[in-house]
Amino acid sequence: MTPAAWARAGAAGPAAGAAGAAGGAAGPAGEQAGPGSRACIASSGLAARVRLAALPTPLVAAPRLARVLGTGPLLIKRDDLTGFAFGGNKARVLEFLVAGAIADGAGTLVAGGAPGSNFCAAAAAAAQRAGLGCQLVIAGHPAPPPPALALALSWGAVVRWTRSPERESVDGGLPAAAADLASRGQRPYLIPRGGATALGAMGYLLAAFELRQQLAEHGSGPARVVVAVGSGGTLAGLVAGNVLLGRPWTLFGASVSRPPDVAAARVLTLAGECLRMLGSAGPEFAAAAGLPRCGAAADLSAADVTVDDARGAGHGLPSPEASALAEQAMRTEGLMVDPVYTAKALATVRRCAPGDNVVFWHTGGVLDVVAAATGDRR
Ligand SMILES: *Cc1c(COP(=O)(O)O)cnc(C)c1O
């Protein structure tokens, strides 16, 4: 990035001062299905999904890594290969969120996270693809950007720093940023951290159907499916899909940031909202989103998701176990797993599935793989 671009990044000013003051002013994409997401669903098929990811992603066997981890047959769902903006799992989520923004008539995506947020980078690129602006509320003080944020700036995002290092400071900064845009006559579309909304989770509800098809072609039986959990939207969509499919799998989340009970409760809430949204959306939405016909959803229960504590030393901090597994993944399969999410999820695979059929859902993180290999800090 040029010095000028970096200066622009720092110049957008603080957003944390008004934390929480502007709640509700910002628009549709909050935790509940707001008017925007309903508009998306009610409107034409074109609005239901904006294609970003190259799908289906491959499902590949990893027999050498399976031996190291002590699992039975191990398949890897390669969502590190979604082919959009190094976004990994974020590409599927943004397909629905961007469609929601367009259906809402919004002009600017408002998203946020830590400077190393993969979601923020992918949101910036997705906004460009859709002809939208993108404002990012980033935790911390202006500083030289890590790769994800540097790319987001290259993709034209405008950054507002919260001037507080806590990632939670973003939650107040988001509505404040949206209110600021609205006061200047623009129409913002507010996306919570990680894109964790019922609408965003729809991307992984759909992905569950994709996996089922691939496992059928593969001739695989019931499996444990393991995925990293940050904001929880990805696992929530998979839980919703698993329920719709009649629960063919046991789902395990590897929580890398929140305590496992907190993460599990969040995931269940989001999955329930996602199923209700689908239920009230009608057949046009399902058809436009590419969902096959399916029966009514049985009630969710706490048994639909198990979340493991994969935090190690804490969010974003490398753990020796995960680093060793990352090296093993490289040396056995040439597979890249990142220190923040996917390497920690591999530790969960090893803990929860001795001898079992496993699908490891690889969620991406390639920028952090490169940073770790080159010794850059996040
Ligand atoms: C964001 C991210 C996750 C977590 O996804 P959530 O939907 O936030 O739970 C997992 N892995 C990688 C590489 C990510 O970037």
Side-chain angles (χ1 to χ4, degrees), residues 60-76 324-335 346 349-350 358:
V60 300
R64 285 154 53 80
L65 184 58
R67 270 199 295 283
V68 167
L69 295 174
T71 65
L74 173 64
L75 296 169
I76 304 192
L325 287 172
E327 189 175 312
Q328 298 273 27
M330 286 238 179
R331 304 277 169 96
T332 54
E333 305 283 353
L335 189 75
L346 274 188
V349 170
R350 179 158 70 181
V358 178

Side-chain angles (χ1 to χ4, degrees), residues 280-311:
S280 60
E284 303 86 26
F285 174 78
L291 275 167
R293 283 173 179 281
C294 49
D299 279 347
L300 280 171
S301 82
D304 283 309
V305 57
T306 303
V307 178
D308 183 42
D309 190 346
R311 290 173 293 173

